[in-house]
Amino acid sequence: MSSPTTQQDTTFWTLHTLPALRSLLFQTSYPPSTIASHLALLQSHIIPSLGPSHPRHFRPCPVYDGSPFEPSLNHTDRLPSTIRFTIEAVGPNAGLPSDPFNQDATIALLRSLPFELDLTLFNALSSVLFFTPEEAAAQVTAIPDGTPKSQAWIAFDLLRDGGVLVKVYLMPVLKMLATGRGSEELAFEGIGDVGGYERGVSILGEFLRRDGAKEVVEMVGVDCVRAGRVKAYLRTGVRTLEAAREVLTLGGRVEARGLEELKGFPHHDFDKNGGTHTFISFAWSEKAGVYTTFYYSPKVYGEEGRQDIWKGYDDMWQKQWESDMK
């Protein structure tokens, strides 16, 4: 398991993660014994995998400000809310010639967790999307300056019975830039090595190969359980709900509901103000079948001059990235 470089890093990440996670678990009424179990996992395995508090050679990017740790609340009307956090494990050599794309820490953490995982899907995809040491040395110069070099994030769904559902999100973009192959081609190659996902690959492949297709497979998520779910996240050029309908149904290939409900979203007029970007996730598994999910980012405006706050965040992120990597 990768470790922070100093005790100061451990103290930093403990102060910036443990109180927040403890508060979320208490506020959502997790049982005390479950809270203790989840916080023990944070301290024993997650915090040591977050790397230096101020890394010099690599910038994690689960969060726009460069933090490798992002807690979140999953709320539904039908079930009690659950807490999850997503991290990018950061190794001591991340960004250096021996590990320029920060791959080692993800593999080390998954192998060291104190409960059983099924890494069949992860192994199949990472064998295609991760760089071998020889490839990394040869291809690192092919990646344009300023491109985030994250290869994988790990999400931990903290269950109320004390269990943990682990998911890994892999990014095919770096391999696409280095090899010239399409991101969907790379993703399908990895998934195709595992039986049981042929129907999903076929449906999504037809949509992405249609005339005029512009969607890009930007991320692939896998559940680390037997016969787990696969989710392909497509970044689209969609800015309006009406235009999203075609993408959400994959051109009529799957059923999709929910766009009408979004028109009642408070404080946002979808007819007047488009979004900044849209993700469509396409998921398939033996248990759940095939379905799509819509991720829409509305523009957020300030009071003075209707300043586009979201664009400000995007610009800030890009400028900060460029500054830090010089």
Side-chain angles (χ1 to χ4, degrees), residues 116-133:
E116 185 176 356
L117 299 177
D118 188 315
L119 297 178
T120 302
L121 286 165
F122 169 75
N123 290 336
L125 275 165
S126 63
S127 69
V128 176
L129 300 181
F130 277 17
F131 295 89
T132 66

Side-chain angles (χ1 to χ4, degrees), residues 24-64:
L24 284 170
L25 292 168
F26 271 111
Q27 292 297 324
T28 46
S29 302
Y30 274 65
S33 61
T34 300
I35 293 176
S37 174
H38 290 323
L39 294 181
L41 174 67
L42 178 76
Q43 291 178 290
S44 64
H45 286 75
I46 306 307
I47 287 173
S49 297
L50 296 180
S53 58
H54 297 85
R56 295 180 56 194
H57 305 289
F58 184 83
R59 181 182 178 87
C61 58
V63 185
Y64 77 88

Side-chain angles (χ1 to χ4, degrees), residues 4-5 9 12-13 49-61 65-68 88-96 102 320-321 323-326:
T5 54
D9 296 319
F12 176 91
W13 289 124
S49 297
L50 296 180
S53 58
H54 297 85
R56 295 180 56 194
H57 305 289
F58 184 83
R59 181 182 178 87
C61 58
D65 65 359
S67 170
E88 179 168 1
V90 180
N93 298 316
L96 296 175
N102 188 36
Q320 183 66 41
W321 169 264
S323 173
D324 288 351
M325 296 305 291
K326 285 181 179 178

